[in-house]
C-alpha cells in the first residue's frame, strides 16, 4: 500500500500569515512595482521579456535587410541608425557585427532565459505545488530588479556613440579583451559585461528560490512523483543555472581584468597596427572553455522549461495521461547531467586533440537519446487522443516539430569530422535557431496562451491565436530551412555582405526569401501583441478552469490574491494527469479529489492493481488509496 508523502514544513502551511487579504494592505508601489507576490513578479518578467523580444526581433530585421537586399539603399533608416549607415546607404560593417551580437545576447539571455524561466517558474511553481508564495518573496523581487537593472544597462549600450558590444554574442577574446580593437570593443563591451554580471546575479537569486520552494513548500500529499512535469522542468533548470552561471561570471570577471587591469588571462603575443602589446602567457581558448561550460547548459536552461510547459499542454489537450511520466522525468534528469559534459563540441576547430574530440562527439550523440525519448512520448500522448487544437496546443506541437528537425541537424554538428566543415556557416545558425531559439519561443507562446486566463482572468482571442501560429510556424521554417542549404555550400555567418564572393552569387534568391520570411514573421508577432494587450482589459471573462485541467492552479479563485488560496490549501491525492479515466463522469479528475469521492469503478481493488484497456494498449495502473 503506497503512502502519502507529508513534509514537516507543510503540515502547518495551510494557515499562515500570507492570507488572501494580504494584498489589500499594500499601496500601488508595493502591490505592482516592488511586489513580493510571485504572480506580479512573473508578469513583470513576462512584460520585460516581451519588450526585449520586440527589440531583438527588430535588430534581426535590420541585418536581414542588409543580407537579403545587398544592393538596396537603406538611407530611409538614417533617422534610426544615423552614423551607422555608410554614405551609400549600407549598414556599416562594424555596426553589423554589433547588431548580430546584441540580437544573440538579447534573445538568449533576456528573452528565452529571463522571459521564459522568470515568467513561468515564478508563476507556476507556488500555484502547482500548493504554496502561498515563493520561499523568499524579497529575494524574488530582487531577482526581477537585478534583471531590470541589467536590461537598462544593455539598453543604454545601444545608444552610445561608439556603438554596442561587437564580437558575436559569445564575445570571444582578443576582440572583446582589447578596448582599442574596434569601436564595439570599447564602452559598449564594458556595459555588456556589467549588464551580464547583474543578469547572472538575478538568475542565481531566482534559481535558489525556485529550488528551495519546490523542496520545502509542497502542500500535503504533493510528493515528487506527483509533481507536474512543468515543475520538474523548472526545478532541474534552476539546478543547471546555479551550477553553470557562476562559470560565466568568472569568465567575464577575468575578461574585465584583461581589459582594465593589465592582466593576461586571455591575451598573448598580439600586435595592433604593427605594435607589439606587452601581454604574454594567456590563452583565448581558456575563455571558450569557460564560456561554453555555461553556453551548452544554457541551451537546456532555455529548452527545459519550454519542454515542461509542452508536456502539460499536450496532456491536457489530448485528454490523455502523459505517456511515460517517469521516462519523461528521467530524460530531463539525464539531459541536465549530460548538458555539462558536451561543451567542447562547440570547439572542434580550436586545435583540440582529435581523441578528446571523439569523446565529446560520443557524449553529444548520447544526449540525443533522452531528447528522442521526449519526442516519442509526446507523439505517443497525441496518438489516439481526443485532441483539442487550442492555440496553446498548436504552439506545443510546433515546438515538437522544431525540436525534431533542429535536433536531427545537431547529430551532424556533434560529429567532429562534419562539424569542422560546417563550423561558423549558416548550417549552424539554422540548427540552433530551430532547436533552441524557435522551439523555446514556441514553448513560451504556448505557456502564455494556456495560462493567460489564470494570469489575467480573461481569455485570449482564439482566431487571432490561430493566425499568429500559422504565420509564425510557416515563417520560421521559411527563414531557417533554406539556411541549411547555403550553410552546406560554405556560406559564412556574421559576414555583413556576401557579394564579394562569386561562389555565393547563386544564393541571392534564397537570401531574399529568408529576409522576406523574417520580416513577415516579425510582423506576425504584432498580431499576438494586440491579442495579448487588448484581452488583458477587454477579453471575455475566463471560467475557473477553462481547459478542464487537473493541476492545482485551477483550484484558486479566478484572479488569486497574494496567498493564492482563500482558506486552506488543497491536499493532493493523485498524480497530475488523471484524464479520460474509465468509469469517471468527467474526462478529468483534479489532483485534490480523494479516491473516496470518485465512482466505484475508479476505486482500487484489494491488491491495488487495476488492469485497464486504454487507447488500444494494456496499461497497469498502480493506485494509492487514502488510509
Amino acid at each position: 500500500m503506497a503512502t502519502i508523502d507529508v513534509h514537516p514544513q507543510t503540515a502547518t502551511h495551510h494557515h499562515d500569515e500570507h492570507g488572501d487579504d494580504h494584498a489589500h494592505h499594500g499601496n500601488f508601489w508595493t502591490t505592482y512595482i516592488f511586489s513580493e507576490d510571485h504572480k506580479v513578479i512573473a508578469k513583470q518578467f513576462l512584460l520585460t521579456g516581451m519588450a526585449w523580444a520586440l527589440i531583438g526581433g527588430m535588430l534581426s530585421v535590420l541585418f536581414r535587410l542588409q543580407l537579403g537586399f545587398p544592393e538596396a539603399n537603406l538611407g530611409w533608416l538614417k533617422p534610426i541608425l544615423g552614423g551607422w549607415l555608410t554614405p551609400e546607404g549600407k549598414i556599416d560593417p562594424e555596426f553589423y557585427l554589433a547588431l548580430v551580437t546584441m540580437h544573440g545576447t538579447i534573445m538568449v539571455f533576456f528573452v528565452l532565459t529571463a522571459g521564459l524561466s522568470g515568467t513561468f517558474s515564478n508563476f507556476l511553481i507556488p500555484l502547482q505545488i500548493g504554496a502561498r508564495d515563493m520561499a523568499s518573496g524579497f529575494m524574488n523581487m530582487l531577482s526581477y530588479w537585478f534583471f531590470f537593472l541589467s536590461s537598462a544597462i544593455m539598453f543604454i549600450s545601444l545608444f552610445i556613440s561608439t556603438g554596442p558590444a561587437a564580437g558575436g554574442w559569445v564575445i570571444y577574446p582578443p576582440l572583446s579583451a582589447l578596448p582599442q580593437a574596434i569601436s564595439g570593443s570599447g564602452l559598449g563591451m564594458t556595459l555588456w559585461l556589467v549588464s551580464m554580471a547583474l543578469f547572472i546575479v538575478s538568475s542565481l537569486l531566482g534559481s535558489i528560490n525556485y529550488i528551495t520552494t519546490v523542496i520545502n513548500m509542497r502542500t500535503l500529499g504533493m510528493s515528487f512523483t506527483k509533481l507536474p512535469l512543468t515543475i520538474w522542468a523548472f526545478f532541474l533548470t534552476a539546478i543547471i543555472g546555479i551550477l553553470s552561471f557562476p562559470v560565466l561570471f568568472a569568465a567575464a570577471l577575468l575578461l574585465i581584468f584583461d581589459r582594465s587591469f593589465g592582466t593576461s588571462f586571455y591575451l598573448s603575443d598580439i600586435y595592433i597596427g604593427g605594435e607589439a602589446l606587452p601581454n604574454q602567457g594567456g590563452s583565448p581558448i581558456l575563455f571558450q572553455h569557460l564560456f561554453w561550460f555555461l553556453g551548452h547548459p544554457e541551451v537546456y536552461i532555455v529548452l527545459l522549461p519550454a519542454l515542461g510547459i509542452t508536456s502539460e499542454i499536450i496532456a491536457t489537450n489530448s485528454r490523455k495521461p502523459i505517456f511515460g511520466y517517469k521516462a519523461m522525468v528521467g530524460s530531463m534528469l539525464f539531459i541536465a547531467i549530460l548538458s555539462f559534459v558536451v561543451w567542447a563540441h562547440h570547439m572542434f576547430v580550436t586545435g583540440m586533440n582529435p581523441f578528446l574530440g571523439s569523446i565529446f562527439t560520443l557524449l553529444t550523440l548520447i544526449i540525443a537519446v533522452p531528447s528522442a525519448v521526449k519526442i516519442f512520448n509526446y507523439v505517443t500522448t497525441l496518438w489516439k487522443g481526443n485532441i483539442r487544437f487550442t492555440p496553446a496546443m498548436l504552439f506545443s506541437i510546433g515546438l515538437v516539430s522544431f525540436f525534431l528537425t533542429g535536433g536531427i541537424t545537431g547529430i551532424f554538428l556533434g560529429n567532429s569530422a562534419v562539424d569542422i566543415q560546417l563550423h561558423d556557416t549558416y548550417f549552424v545558425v539554422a540548427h540552433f535557431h530551430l532547436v533552441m531559439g524557435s522551439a523555446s519561443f514556441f514553448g513560451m507562446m504556448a505557456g502564455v496562451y494556456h495560462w493567460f486566463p489564470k494570469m489575467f482572468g480573461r481569455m485570449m482571442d482564439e482566431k487571432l491565436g490561430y493566425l499568429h501560429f500559422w504565420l509564425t510556424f510557416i515563417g520560421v521554417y521559411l527563414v531557417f530551412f533554406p539556411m541549411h542549404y547555403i550553410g552546406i555550400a560554405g556560406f559564412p555567418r556574421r559576414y555583413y555582405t556576401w557579394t564579394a564572393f562569386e561562389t555565393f552569387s547563386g544564393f541571392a534568391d534564397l537570401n531574399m526569401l529568408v529576409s522576406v520570411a523574417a520580416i513577415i514573421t516579425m510582423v506576425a508577432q504584432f498580431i499576438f501583441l494586440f491579442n495579448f494587450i487588448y484581452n488583458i482589459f477587454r477579453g471575455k471573462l475566463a471560467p475557473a478552469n477553462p481547459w478542464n485541467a487537473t493541476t492545482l492552479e485551477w483550484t484558486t479563485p479566478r484572479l488569486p490574491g497574494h496567498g493564492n488560496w482563500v482558506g486552506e490549501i488543497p491536499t493532493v491525492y493523485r498524480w497530475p494527469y488523471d484524464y479520460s479515466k474509465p468509469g469517471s463522469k468527467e474526462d478529468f479528475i483534479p489532483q485534490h479529489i480523494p479516491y473516496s469521492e470518485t465512482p466505484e469503478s475508479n476505486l482500487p481493488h484489494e491488491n491495488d492493481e487495476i488492469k485497464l484497456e486504454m487507447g488500444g494498449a494494456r496499461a497497469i495502473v498502480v493506485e494509492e488509496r487514502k488510509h
Side-chain angles (χ1 to χ4, degrees), residues 297-313:
E298 170 66 22
V299 170
Y300 294 101
I301 289 173
V302 163
L303 253 176
L304 279 179
L307 293 171
I309 287 167
T310 297
S311 304
E312 182 72 24
I313 292 170

Side-chain angles (χ1 to χ4, degrees), residues 120-132:
F120 291 104
S121 298
N122 262 311
F123 190 74
L124 291 177
I125 287 176
L127 285 171
Q128 289 197 334
I129 67 169
R132 295 279 181 208

Side-chain angles (χ1 to χ4, degrees), residues 9 11 13 33 42 156 158 196 206 214 222 269 275 293 314 319 429 500 544 557 560 564 597 608 625:
Q9 298 97 320
H13 194 57
I33 309 299
I156 289 165
L158 292 170
M196 285 311 299
V214 171
M222 180 64 86
D269 306 328
E275 182 192 343
F293 193 81
I314 284 181
R319 313 311 295 161
V429 177
N564 297 336
E597 289 178 27
D608 277 335
R625 187 165 1 147

Side-chain angles (χ1 to χ4, degrees), residues 108-429:
V108 171
F109 294 114
F110 290 1
V111 178
L112 296 176
T113 303
L116 176 58
S117 237
T119 300
F120 291 104
S121 298
N122 262 311
F123 190 74
L124 291 177
I125 287 176
L127 285 171
Q128 289 197 334
I129 67 169
R132 295 279 181 208
D133 204 327
M134 283 290 176
S136 167
F138 179 70
M139 211 155 100
N140 207 13
M141 177 190 77
L142 275 186
S143 123
Y144 172 74
W145 285 104
F146 268 108
F147 168 52
F148 186 82
L149 196 56
S150 160
S151 292
I153 291 170
M154 194 68 82
F155 189 68
I156 289 165
S157 82
L158 292 170
F159 300 98
I160 57 177
S161 59
T162 51
W169 76 280
V170 292
I171 59 156
Y172 285 168
L175 203 55
S176 58
L178 297 168
Q180 69 271 41
I182 56 172
S183 59
S185 299
L187 178 60
M189 186 61 73
T190 304
L191 291 174
W192 192 99
L193 288 164
V194 172
S195 170
M196 285 311 299
L198 292 168
F199 179 84
I200 292 165
V201 172
S202 154
S203 176
L204 293 175
L205 284 169
S207 295
I208 292 167
N209 224 346
Y210 306 150
I211 292 169
T212 310
T213 307
V214 171
I215 291 175
N216 288 333
M217 299 186 67
R218 289 166 285 133
T219 186
L220 292 171
M222 180 64 86
S223 61
F224 268 89
T225 51
K226 290 183 185 151
L227 289 176
L229 289 169
T230 36
I231 304 302
W232 271 108
F234 303 145
F235 180 62
L236 292 170
T237 302
I239 292 171
I240 298 174
I242 276 186
L243 295 174
S244 62
F245 265 117
V247 180
L248 181 65
F249 191 83
L253 202 60
L254 298 186
L255 193 53
I256 290 168
F257 281 180
D258 274 11
R259 287 170 60 80
S260 308
F261 302 110
T263 57
S264 297
F265 291 106
Y266 307 131
L267 296 171
S268 179
D269 306 328
I270 289 175
Y271 291 79
I272 290 190
E275 182 192 343
L277 297 186
N279 306 85
Q280 55 184 7
S283 166
I285 304 297
L286 168 64
F287 179 86
Q288 291 196 30
H289 279 293
L290 293 174
F291 180 89
W292 286 115
F293 193 81
L294 158 93
H296 202 82
E298 170 66 22
V299 170
Y300 294 101
I301 289 173
V302 163
L303 253 176
L304 279 179
L307 293 171
I309 287 167
T310 297
S311 304
E312 182 72 24
I313 292 170
I314 284 181
T316 303
N317 288 298
S318 297
R319 313 311 295 161
K320 272 178 68 181
I322 191 85
F323 183 87
Y325 174 87
K326 285 181 180 170
M328 292 292 250
V329 174
S331 67
M332 284 195 283
L333 198 57
F334 202 47
I335 284 172
I337 294 164
L338 278 175
S339 71
F340 283 98
V341 290
V342 293
W343 80 90
H345 69 208
H346 298 269
M347 299 170 57
F348 287 142
V349 295
T350 56
M352 181 193 295
N353 182 312
F355 177 70
L356 194 59
S358 65
I359 290 170
F360 279 102
T361 295
L362 179 67
L363 290 167
T364 303
L365 297 181
I366 289 172
I367 208 169
V369 176
S371 304
V373 167
K374 297 198 79 60
I375 295 277
F376 288 130
N377 284 14
Y378 289 139
V379 172
T380 318
T381 304
L382 291 164
W383 179 254
K384 292 193 175 180
N386 185 15
I387 300 173
R388 300 181 309 199
F389 290 105
T390 63
M393 183 64 157
L394 287 175
F395 273 101
S396 297
I397 294 169
L399 176 146
V400 177
S401 171
F402 293 147
F403 192 49
L404 179 61
T405 48
I408 287 169
T409 53
I411 294 171
F412 293 88
L413 292 171
N415 187 321
S416 53
V418 182
D419 180 70
I420 286 166
Q421 304 301 319
L422 294 174
H423 187 80
D424 264 348
T425 66
Y426 265 75
F427 193 91
V428 179
V429 177

